[in-house]
Amino acid sequence: MDTTTSPDGVPVTAPDPDFPPVPADTKDWTWVMERPCPECGFVAAEVTPDRVGAAVRDAVPRYVAALGREDVRVRPDATTWSVLEYAAHVRDVFSVFDVRVQSMVEGDDPQFANWDQDATAVEEDYAHQDPAVVARELAIAGDRVAGRFDALVPDQWERPGRRSNGSVFTVRTLGQYFVHDVVHHLHDVGA
């Protein structure tokens, strides 16, 4: 992206014509906790928090391998992220959910800070990030969130938390929702 200055002196980032923002995903994906995902086949109800860490550790090398592809920056169409963009998103998902689980374990029914994944993709310029750096950061963030889930004890699985839109989760259902996101994007990138 090119940065220019507005007439009032504020830096403005011009959209990259090669990587315009992908349309926002406005679906409420919480339904995946109730039924299998028809796109990726994931069954969230089968995941318990003690299996989340292993699922993340299984996914990380698959994302890292995908980041080594020659076509890592190629979008399959105008409405779909590239492998690089999906991997950068998953790296950030790891960090966001690590904080959310920590807040649920340490706090009393916390409300999560709002996170706009589509705005983050544009603001952080996922399309132009270095795939090798994303791979390293994804592995570190994945290890951190996997460890967070590994440290949970069954007494913590039903601790509540909520999104800013009012969706209520327990540590158990947040883990299910989270792992679906990780697995679904593996399906998206063909890994």
Side-chain angles (χ1 to χ4, degrees):
M1 288 193 206
D2 294 325
T3 302
T4 58
T5 305
S6 70
D8 57 354
V10 176
V12 177
T13 303
D16 184 332
D18 294 329
F19 295 101
V22 168
D25 181 356
T26 58
K27 291 182 237 166
D28 180 355
W29 286 89
T30 55
W31 59 265
V32 301
M33 296 178 299
E34 299 166 6
R35 60 187 187 274
C37 179
E39 292 177 34
C40 70
F42 185 77
V43 182
E46 295 176 353
V47 177
T48 54
D50 59 332
R51 293 178 46 209
V52 172
V56 170
R57 286 187 184 92
D58 177 63
V60 167
R62 296 167 66 189
Y63 280 108
V64 169
L67 284 163
R69 295 183 195 158
E70 296 241 350
D71 65 346
V72 70
R73 295 182 190 278
V74 176
R75 289 181 174 171
D77 57 60
T79 63
T80 306
W81 280 340
S82 67
V83 169
L84 175 59
E85 290 167 294
Y86 275 119
H89 166 71
V90 170
R91 173 205 56 208
D92 291 349
V93 165
F94 287 164
S95 296
V96 167
F97 279 78
D98 181 44
V99 169
R100 289 181 177 181
V101 171
Q102 180 181 13
S103 71
M104 293 171 82
V105 170
E106 295 177 359
D108 185 26
D109 193 19
Q111 180 172 334
F112 309 138
N114 190 38
W115 183 56
D116 184 331
Q117 65 184 21
D118 300 299
T120 300
V122 173
E123 291 164 9
E124 298 298 320
D125 195 14
Y126 285 174
H128 290 95
Q129 291 187 13
D130 181 332
V133 171
V134 171
R136 283 193 304 277
E137 292 172 347
L138 185 141
I140 291 166
D143 188 57
R144 186 178 308 118
V145 74
R148 175 88 53 206
F149 275 95
D150 290 345
L152 294 170
V153 295
D155 288 351
Q156 296 171 319
W157 293 2
E158 303 310 319
R159 292 190 59 81
R162 64 192 69 245
R163 285 197 316 206
S164 57
N165 71 356
S167 295
V168 177
F169 291 89
T170 63
V171 169
R172 175 190 304 273
T173 60
L174 189 76
Q176 293 168 340
Y177 181 77
F178 164 66
V179 173
H180 170 259
D181 199 59
V182 174
V183 170
H184 193 94
H185 294 319
L186 282 172
H187 170 76
D188 289 330
V189 303

